[in-house]
């Protein structure tokens, strides 16, 4: 047997305070098992409607600012990743045999002289009597 649904809409007298109770009692006598729902129209003040609209627009603006802030921070992070990738490629290009580059030791800030910069006596061009390739501070007599 098919399930039959019945919807009945009633217009009640607003002047009679017990009208909703009379409708419920009549529905019970007819054997309707569900409780009736009372639909009431309401009026809103224009001031409250304008306030509600203003709050909605303000909330939408705040959410838009939050979204823009998140977008800008994500773009900044992507730019940082691009820069780090460039630096990583440069470091791996300098590493011997494709091995990852080792971090520089703590004394890497000292200037290192190579053999190509030294003349036969061991002194570099323009240095002040300092010889050696690893920051040795031996002095040589100036002739």
């Amino acid at each position: 047997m098919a399930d039959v649904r019945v919807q009945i809409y009633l217009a009640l007298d607003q002047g009679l305070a017990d009208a909703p109770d009379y409708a419920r009692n009549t529905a019970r006598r007819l054997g309707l098992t569900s409780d009736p729902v009372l639909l009431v129209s309401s009026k809103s003040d224009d001031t409250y409607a304008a306030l509600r609209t203003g709050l909605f627009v303000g909330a939408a603006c705040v959410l838009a600012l939050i979204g823009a802030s998140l977008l800008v921070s994500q773009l900044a992070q992507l730019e940082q990743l691009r820069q780090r990738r460039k630096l990583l490629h440069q470091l791996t290009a300098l590493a011997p045999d494709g091995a990852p580059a080792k971090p520089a030791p703590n004394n890497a800030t000292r200037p290192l002289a190579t053999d190509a910069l030294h003349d036969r006596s061991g002194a570099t061009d323009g240095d002040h009597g300092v010889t050696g390739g690893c920051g040795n501070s031996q002095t040589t007599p100036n002739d």
Side-chain angles (χ1 to χ4, degrees):
M1 180 185 214
D3 185 26
V4 178
R5 292 188 158 201
V6 177
Q7 291 183 351
I8 300 172
Y9 294 97
L10 301 174
L12 302 176
D13 184 13
Q14 298 293 329
L16 186 58
D18 293 336
D21 290 332
Y22 292 143
R24 279 191 208 99
N25 292 337
T26 305
R28 293 283 182 203
R29 275 190 242 128
L30 292 175
L32 299 176
T33 57
S34 64
D35 288 330
V37 177
L38 182 62
L39 300 177
V40 179
S41 65
S42 63
K43 294 181 182 180
S44 63
D45 190 11
D46 290 337
T47 306
Y48 293 122
L51 181 64
R52 183 178 59 226
T53 303
L55 287 173
F56 178 74
V57 169
C61 289
V62 167
L63 288 175
L65 286 174
I66 290 171
S69 172
L70 288 173
L71 181 65
V72 167
S73 68
Q74 288 297 322
L75 291 175
Q77 286 180 353
L78 284 175
E79 184 63 28
Q80 280 183 344
L81 287 175
R82 286 186 191 121
Q83 290 175 355
R84 288 180 183 175
R85 187 178 352 159
K86 288 178 186 177
L87 289 174
L88 184 61
H89 285 301
Q90 290 172 357
L91 286 174
T92 54
L94 295 176
D97 299 327
K102 295 180 182 177
N106 291 341
N107 61 358
T109 58
R110 293 186 202 167
L112 300 176
T114 60
D115 291 338
L117 297 176
H118 289 284
D119 61 2
R120 293 179 192 209
S121 66
T124 60
D125 293 335
D127 75 3
H128 303 295
V130 178
T131 61
C134 294
N136 295 337
S137 59
Q138 300 172 351
T139 59
T140 58
N142 292 332
D143 295 315

